[in-house]
Coordinates of all heavy atoms in Angstrom, one line a residue:
V216 N -46.0 -34.2 -42.3 CA -45.0 -33.5 -41.5 C -44.5 -32.2 -42.3 O -44.0 -31.3 -41.7 CB -43.7 -34.4 -41.4 CG1 -43.1 -34.7 -42.7 CG2 -42.8 -33.9 -40.3
Y217 N -44.7 -32.2 -43.6 CA -44.3 -31.0 -44.3 C -45.1 -29.8 -44.1 O -44.8 -28.6 -44.4 CB -44.3 -31.3 -45.8 CG -43.3 -32.3 -46.2 CD1 -43.5 -33.2 -47.3 CD2 -42.0 -32.3 -45.7 CE1 -42.5 -34.1 -47.6 CE2 -41.0 -33.2 -46.0 CZ -41.3 -34.1 -47.0 OH -40.4 -35.0 -47.4
F218 N -46.3 -30.0 -43.5 CA -47.2 -28.9 -43.2 C -47.2 -28.5 -41.7 O -48.0 -27.7 -41.3 CB -48.6 -29.3 -43.7 CG -48.7 -29.6 -45.1 CD1 -48.6 -30.8 -45.7 CD2 -48.9 -28.5 -46.0 CE1 -48.7 -31.1 -47.0 CE2 -49.0 -28.7 -47.4 CZ -48.8 -30.0 -47.9
L219 N -46.3 -29.2 -41.0 CA -46.2 -28.7 -39.6 C -45.3 -27.4 -39.5 O -44.7 -27.1 -40.5 CB -45.4 -29.8 -38.8 CG -46.2 -31.1 -38.7 CD1 -45.3 -32.2 -38.0 CD2 -47.4 -30.9 -37.7
P220 N -45.5 -26.7 -38.5 CA -44.6 -25.4 -38.4 C -43.2 -25.7 -38.7 O -42.7 -26.7 -38.2 CB -44.9 -25.0 -36.9 CG -46.2 -25.6 -36.5 CD -46.3 -27.0 -37.2
F221 N -42.6 -24.8 -39.3 CA -41.2 -24.9 -39.7 C -40.4 -25.2 -38.4 O -40.4 -24.5 -37.4 CB -40.6 -23.7 -40.2 CG -41.1 -23.4 -41.6 CD1 -40.9 -22.1 -42.2 CD2 -42.0 -24.3 -42.3 CE1 -41.5 -21.9 -43.4 CE2 -42.5 -24.0 -43.5 CZ -42.2 -22.8 -44.1
G222 N -39.6 -26.3 -38.4 CA -38.7 -26.6 -37.3 C -39.4 -27.6 -36.3 O -38.7 -28.0 -35.5
Y223 N -40.6 -28.0 -36.6 CA -41.2 -28.9 -35.5 C -40.5 -30.2 -35.5 O -40.2 -30.8 -36.5 CB -42.7 -29.1 -35.9 CG -43.4 -30.1 -35.0 CD1 -43.9 -29.7 -33.8 CD2 -43.4 -31.4 -35.3 CE1 -44.4 -30.6 -32.9 CE2 -44.0 -32.4 -34.5 CZ -44.5 -32.0 -33.3 OH -45.1 -32.8 -32.5
D224 N -40.2 -30.6 -34.3 CA -39.5 -31.9 -34.2 C -39.5 -32.4 -32.8 O -39.2 -31.7 -31.8 CB -38.0 -31.7 -34.7 CG -37.2 -33.0 -34.5 OD1 -37.8 -34.0 -34.7 OD2 -36.0 -32.9 -34.3
I225 N -39.8 -33.6 -32.6 CA -39.8 -34.2 -31.2 C -38.4 -34.6 -30.8 O -38.0 -34.3 -29.7 CB -40.7 -35.5 -31.2 CG1 -42.2 -35.2 -31.5 CG2 -40.5 -36.2 -29.9 CD1 -43.1 -36.4 -31.6
N226 N -37.6 -34.9 -31.8 CA -36.2 -35.2 -31.6 C -35.4 -33.9 -31.9 O -35.5 -33.3 -33.0 CB -35.7 -36.3 -32.6 CG -34.3 -36.6 -32.5 OD1 -33.5 -36.0 -31.8 ND2 -33.9 -37.9 -33.0
T227 N -34.7 -33.4 -30.8 CA -34.1 -32.2 -31.0 C -32.9 -32.2 -31.9 O -32.2 -31.2 -32.1 CB -33.6 -31.6 -29.6 OG1 -32.8 -32.6 -29.0 CG2 -34.8 -31.4 -28.7
N228 N -32.5 -33.3 -32.4 CA -31.4 -33.5 -33.3 C -31.9 -33.4 -34.8 O -31.1 -33.6 -35.7 CB -30.6 -34.7 -33.1 CG -29.7 -34.6 -31.9 OD1 -29.5 -33.6 -31.5 ND2 -29.3 -35.8 -31.3
L229 N -33.1 -33.1 -35.0 CA -33.7 -33.0 -36.4 C -34.2 -31.6 -36.5 O -34.7 -31.0 -35.7 CB -34.9 -34.0 -36.6 CG -34.5 -35.5 -36.7 CD1 -35.7 -36.3 -36.9 CD2 -33.6 -35.7 -37.8
D230 N -34.1 -31.1 -37.8 CA -34.5 -29.8 -38.1 C -35.2 -29.8 -39.4 O -34.8 -30.5 -40.4 CB -33.4 -28.8 -38.2 CG -33.9 -27.4 -38.5 OD1 -35.0 -27.1 -38.1 OD2 -33.1 -26.6 -38.9
F231 N -36.4 -29.2 -39.6 CA -37.1 -29.1 -40.7 C -37.1 -27.7 -41.3 O -37.4 -26.7 -40.4 CB -38.6 -29.5 -40.6 CG -38.7 -31.0 -40.3 CD1 -38.8 -31.4 -39.0 CD2 -38.8 -31.9 -41.3 CE1 -38.9 -32.7 -38.6 CE2 -39.0 -33.3 -40.9 CZ -39.0 -33.6 -39.7
Y232 N -36.7 -27.4 -42.4 CA -36.6 -26.0 -42.9 C -37.2 -25.9 -44.4 O -37.1 -27.0 -45.2 CB -35.1 -25.5 -42.9 CG -34.2 -26.4 -43.6 CD1 -33.8 -26.1 -44.9 CD2 -33.6 -27.5 -42.9 CE1 -32.8 -26.9 -45.5 CE2 -32.6 -28.2 -43.5 CZ -32.3 -28.0 -44.9 OH -31.3 -28.8 -45.5
P233 N -37.6 -24.8 -44.8 CA -38.3 -24.7 -46.0 C -37.3 -24.7 -47.2 O -36.2 -24.1 -47.1 CB -39.1 -23.4 -46.0 CG -38.3 -22.6 -45.0 CD -37.6 -23.6 -44.0
L234 N -37.7 -25.3 -48.4 CA -37.0 -25.2 -49.6 C -37.7 -24.3 -50.6 O -39.0 -24.5 -50.7 CB -36.7 -26.5 -50.3 CG -35.7 -27.5 -49.4 CD1 -35.7 -28.8 -50.2 CD2 -34.3 -26.8 -49.3
Y235 N -37.1 -23.4 -51.3 CA -37.8 -22.5 -52.2 C -37.2 -22.7 -53.6 O -36.1 -23.1 -53.8 CB -37.7 -21.0 -51.7 CG -38.2 -20.7 -50.4 CD1 -37.4 -20.8 -49.2 CD2 -39.6 -20.5 -50.3 CE1 -37.9 -20.6 -47.9 CE2 -40.1 -20.1 -49.0 CZ -39.3 -20.2 -47.9 OH -39.8 -20.0 -46.6
T236 N -38.0 -22.3 -54.6 CA -37.6 -22.2 -55.9 C -36.8 -21.0 -56.1 O -36.8 -20.1 -55.3 CB -38.8 -22.2 -56.9 OG1 -39.6 -21.0 -56.8 CG2 -39.7 -23.4 -56.7
Q237 N -36.2 -20.8 -57.3 CA -35.4 -19.6 -57.5 C -36.2 -18.4 -57.6 O -35.8 -17.3 -57.4 CB -34.7 -19.8 -58.9 CG -33.5 -20.8 -58.9 CD -32.8 -21.0 -60.2 OE1 -33.2 -20.3 -61.2 NE2 -31.7 -21.6 -60.3
E238 N -37.5 -18.6 -57.8 CA -38.4 -17.5 -57.9 C -38.9 -17.1 -56.4 O -39.7 -16.1 -56.3 CB -39.7 -17.7 -58.8 CG -39.3 -17.8 -60.2 CD -38.6 -19.2 -60.6 OE1 -38.8 -20.1 -59.8 OE2 -37.9 -19.2 -61.6
G239 N -38.5 -17.8 -55.5 CA -38.8 -17.5 -54.1 C -40.1 -18.2 -53.6 O -40.6 -17.9 -52.6
E240 N -40.7 -19.1 -54.4 CA -41.9 -19.8 -54.0 C -41.5 -21.1 -53.2 O -40.5 -21.7 -53.5 CB -42.7 -20.2 -55.3 CG -43.1 -19.0 -56.0 CD -43.9 -19.4 -57.3 OE1 -44.0 -20.7 -57.5 OE2 -44.5 -18.5 -58.1
W241 N -42.4 -21.4 -52.2 CA -42.2 -22.5 -51.4 C -42.3 -23.8 -52.2 O -43.2 -24.0 -53.0 CB -43.3 -22.6 -50.3 CG -43.1 -23.8 -49.3 CD1 -42.2 -23.8 -48.3 CD2 -43.8 -25.0 -49.3 NE1 -42.3 -25.1 -47.7 CE2 -43.2 -25.7 -48.3 CE3 -44.8 -25.4 -50.2 CZ2 -43.8 -27.0 -48.1 CZ3 -45.3 -26.7 -49.8 CH2 -44.8 -27.5 -48.9
K242 N -41.4 -24.7 -52.0 CA -41.3 -26.0 -52.8 C -41.6 -27.2 -52.0 O -42.3 -28.0 -52.2 CB -39.9 -26.1 -53.5 CG -39.8 -27.2 -54.5 CD -38.6 -27.3 -55.2 CE -37.3 -27.2 -54.4 NZ -36.1 -27.3 -55.2
A243 N -40.8 -27.2 -50.9 CA -41.0 -28.5 -50.0 C -40.3 -28.1 -48.7 O -39.7 -27.1 -48.5 CB -40.3 -29.6 -50.7
M244 N -40.4 -29.1 -47.8 CA -39.7 -29.0 -46.5 C -38.5 -30.0 -46.6 O -38.7 -31.2 -46.8 CB -40.6 -29.4 -45.3 CG -41.7 -28.3 -45.1 SD -40.9 -26.7 -44.6 CE -40.5 -27.2 -43.0
A245 N -37.3 -29.6 -46.3 CA -36.2 -30.4 -46.1 C -35.9 -30.8 -44.7 O -36.2 -30.0 -43.8 CB -35.0 -29.7 -46.7
R246 N -35.4 -32.0 -44.5 CA -35.1 -32.4 -43.1 C -33.6 -32.6 -43.0 O -33.0 -33.3 -43.8 CB -35.9 -33.7 -42.9 CG -35.7 -34.1 -41.3 CD -36.5 -35.4 -41.0 NE -36.0 -36.6 -41.7 CZ -36.4 -37.8 -41.5 NH1 -37.4 -38.0 -40.6 NH2 -35.8 -38.8 -42.1
K247 N -33.0 -32.2 -41.9 CA -31.6 -32.4 -41.6 C -31.4 -33.0 -40.2 O -32.0 -32.5 -39.3 CB -30.9 -31.1 -41.8 CG -29.4 -31.2 -41.5 CD -28.6 -30.0 -41.6 CE -27.2 -30.1 -41.2 NZ -26.5 -31.2 -41.8
A248 N -30.7 -34.0 -40.2 CA -30.4 -34.6 -38.9 C -29.0 -34.1 -38.4 O -28.1 -34.1 -39.2 CB -30.4 -36.1 -39.0
Y249 N -28.9 -33.7 -37.2 CA -27.7 -33.1 -36.6 C -27.1 -34.1 -35.6 O -27.8 -34.6 -34.8 CB -27.9 -31.8 -35.9 CG -28.2 -30.6 -36.8 CD1 -29.6 -30.4 -37.2 CD2 -27.2 -29.8 -37.3 CE1 -29.9 -29.3 -38.0 CE2 -27.5 -28.8 -38.1 CZ -28.8 -28.5 -38.5 OH -29.1 -27.5 -39.3
S250 N -25.8 -34.3 -35.7 CA -25.1 -35.1 -34.7 C -24.9 -34.1 -33.5 O -25.1 -32.9 -33.6 CB -23.7 -35.5 -35.2 OG -22.9 -34.4 -35.4
E251 N -24.4 -34.7 -32.4 CA -24.2 -33.8 -31.1 C -23.1 -32.8 -31.5 O -23.2 -31.6 -31.0 CB -23.8 -34.7 -30.0 CG -25.0 -35.5 -29.4 CD -26.1 -34.7 -29.0 OE1 -25.9 -33.6 -28.4 OE2 -27.3 -35.2 -29.2
Q252 N -22.1 -33.1 -32.2 CA -21.1 -32.2 -32.6 C -21.6 -31.1 -33.5 O -21.2 -29.9 -33.2 CB -19.9 -32.9 -33.3 CG -18.8 -32.1 -33.8 CD -17.6 -32.8 -34.4 OE1 -17.8 -34.0 -34.7 NE2 -16.6 -32.1 -34.8
E253 N -22.5 -31.5 -34.4 CA -23.1 -30.4 -35.3 C -24.0 -29.4 -34.5 O -24.1 -28.3 -34.7 CB -23.9 -31.1 -36.4 CG -23.0 -31.7 -37.4 CD -23.7 -32.5 -38.5 OE1 -24.8 -33.1 -38.1 OE2 -23.3 -32.6 -39.6
R254 N -24.7 -30.1 -33.5 CA -25.6 -29.2 -32.6 C -24.7 -28.2 -31.8 O -25.1 -27.1 -31.8 CB -26.3 -30.1 -31.6 CG -27.7 -30.6 -32.1 CD -28.5 -31.3 -31.0 NE -28.7 -30.4 -29.9 CZ -29.8 -29.5 -29.8 NH1 -30.6 -29.5 -30.9 NH2 -30.0 -28.8 -28.8
E255 N -23.6 -28.7 -31.4 CA -22.7 -27.8 -30.6 C -22.1 -26.7 -31.6 O -21.9 -25.6 -31.2 CB -21.5 -28.5 -30.1 CG -20.6 -27.7 -29.1 CD -21.4 -27.1 -28.0 OE1 -22.4 -27.7 -27.5 OE2 -21.0 -26.1 -27.5
Q256 N -21.9 -27.0 -32.8 CA -21.5 -26.0 -33.8 C -22.5 -25.0 -34.1 O -22.3 -23.8 -34.2 CB -21.0 -26.7 -35.1 CG -19.8 -27.6 -35.0 CD -19.4 -28.4 -36.2 OE1 -20.3 -28.6 -37.1 NE2 -18.3 -29.0 -36.3
V257 N -23.8 -25.5 -34.1 CA -24.9 -24.5 -34.4 C -25.1 -23.6 -33.1 O -25.3 -22.4 -33.4 CB -26.2 -25.3 -34.6 CG1 -27.4 -24.4 -34.6 CG2 -26.1 -26.1 -35.9
R258 N -24.9 -24.2 -32.0 CA -25.1 -23.4 -30.8 C -23.9 -22.3 -30.7 O -24.2 -21.2 -30.4 CB -24.9 -24.3 -29.6 CG -25.1 -23.6 -28.2 CD -25.1 -24.5 -27.0 NE -25.5 -23.9 -25.8 CZ -24.6 -23.3 -25.0 NH1 -23.3 -23.1 -25.4 NH2 -25.0 -22.7 -23.9
T259 N -22.8 -22.8 -31.0 CA -21.6 -21.8 -31.1 C -21.9 -20.7 -32.1 O -21.6 -19.5 -31.9 CB -20.3 -22.4 -31.4 OG1 -20.1 -23.5 -30.4 CG2 -19.3 -21.5 -31.4
A260 N -22.5 -21.1 -33.3 CA -22.8 -20.1 -34.3 C -23.8 -19.0 -33.8 O -23.7 -17.9 -34.1 CB -23.3 -20.8 -35.6
L261 N -24.8 -19.5 -33.1 CA -25.8 -18.7 -32.5 C -25.2 -17.6 -31.6 O -25.5 -16.5 -31.6 CB -26.9 -19.5 -31.8 CG -27.9 -20.2 -32.7 CD1 -28.7 -21.2 -31.8 CD2 -28.7 -19.3 -33.5
L262 N -24.3 -18.2 -30.7 CA -23.6 -17.3 -29.7 C -22.8 -16.2 -30.4 O -22.8 -15.0 -30.0 CB -22.8 -18.1 -28.8 CG -23.5 -19.1 -27.8 CD1 -22.6 -20.0 -27.1 CD2 -24.5 -18.4 -26.9
T263 N -21.9 -16.7 -31.3 CA -21.0 -15.7 -32.0 C -21.8 -14.7 -32.9 O -21.4 -13.5 -33.0 CB -20.0 -16.5 -32.8 OG1 -20.6 -17.4 -33.7 CG2 -19.0 -17.2 -31.9
T264 N -22.9 -15.2 -33.5 CA -23.6 -14.3 -34.3 C -24.4 -13.2 -33.4 O -24.4 -12.1 -33.9 CB -24.7 -15.1 -35.1 OG1 -24.2 -16.0 -36.0 CG2 -25.6 -14.2 -36.0
M265 N -24.9 -13.7 -32.3 CA -25.4 -12.7 -31.4 C -24.5 -11.7 -30.8 O -24.7 -10.5 -30.8 CB -26.1 -13.4 -30.2 CG -26.8 -12.5 -29.2 SD -27.9 -11.3 -29.8 CE -29.2 -12.3 -30.3
L266 N -23.2 -12.1 -30.5 CA -22.2 -11.2 -30.1 C -21.9 -10.2 -31.1 O -21.7 -9.0 -30.9 CB -20.9 -12.0 -29.7 CG -20.9 -12.8 -28.4 CD1 -19.7 -13.6 -28.2 CD2 -21.2 -11.8 -27.2
Q267 N -21.7 -10.6 -32.4 CA -21.5 -9.7 -33.5 C -22.7 -8.7 -33.6 O -22.5 -7.5 -34.0 CB -21.3 -10.4 -34.7 CG -20.8 -9.6 -36.0 CD -19.5 -8.8 -35.6 OE1 -18.5 -9.4 -35.1 NE2 -19.4 -7.5 -35.8
C268 N -23.9 -9.2 -33.4 CA -25.1 -8.3 -33.5 C -25.0 -7.2 -32.5 O -25.3 -6.1 -32.8 CB -26.3 -9.2 -33.3 SG -27.9 -8.3 -33.4
I269 N -24.6 -7.6 -31.2 CA -24.4 -6.5 -30.2 C -23.4 -5.5 -30.6 O -23.5 -4.3 -30.4 CB -24.1 -7.2 -28.9 CG1 -25.3 -8.1 -28.4 CG2 -23.9 -6.1 -27.7 CD1 -25.0 -9.0 -27.2
V270 N -22.3 -6.0 -31.1 CA -21.1 -5.2 -31.6 C -21.6 -4.2 -32.6 O -21.3 -3.0 -32.6 CB -20.0 -6.0 -32.1 CG1 -18.9 -5.1 -32.7 CG2 -19.4 -6.8 -30.9
D271 N -22.4 -4.7 -33.5 CA -23.0 -3.9 -34.7 C -24.1 -3.0 -34.2 O -24.7 -2.3 -35.1 CB -23.3 -4.8 -35.8 CG -22.2 -5.5 -36.4 OD1 -21.0 -5.0 -36.1 OD2 -22.4 -6.6 -37.0
R272 N -24.5 -3.0 -33.0 CA -25.6 -2.2 -32.5 C -27.0 -2.6 -33.2 O -27.8 -1.7 -33.5 CB -25.4 -0.7 -32.7 CG -24.2 -0.2 -32.0 CD -24.1 1.3 -31.9 NE -22.9 1.8 -31.2 CZ -22.7 3.1 -30.8 NH1 -23.7 3.9 -31.0 NH2 -21.6 3.4 -30.3
G273 N -27.1 -3.8 -33.5 CA -28.3 -4.3 -34.1 C -29.2 -5.2 -33.3 O -30.2 -5.9 -33.9

Side-chain angles (χ1 to χ4, degrees):
V216 70
Y217 293 143
F218 296 96
L219 293 172
F221 291 171
Y223 175 83
D224 179 31
I225 297 176
N226 183 340
T227 57
N228 284 342
L229 288 178
D230 185 24
F231 295 91
Y232 54 94
L234 292 178
Y235 298 94
T236 64
Q237 291 183 350
E238 291 74 24
E240 297 179 356
W241 180 80
K242 181 172 62 174
M244 291 294 291
R246 184 178 72 172
K247 177 175 175 58
Y249 288 89
S250 65
E251 289 302 323
Q252 182 180 1
E253 289 173 327
R254 270 187 63 86
E255 188 59 31
Q256 291 173 348
V257 172
R258 186 177 185 276
T259 300
L261 287 169
L262 295 172
T263 55
T264 302
M265 177 52 71
L266 286 174
Q267 190 58 49
C268 181
I269 297 173
V270 171
D271 296 338
R272 302 193 182 194

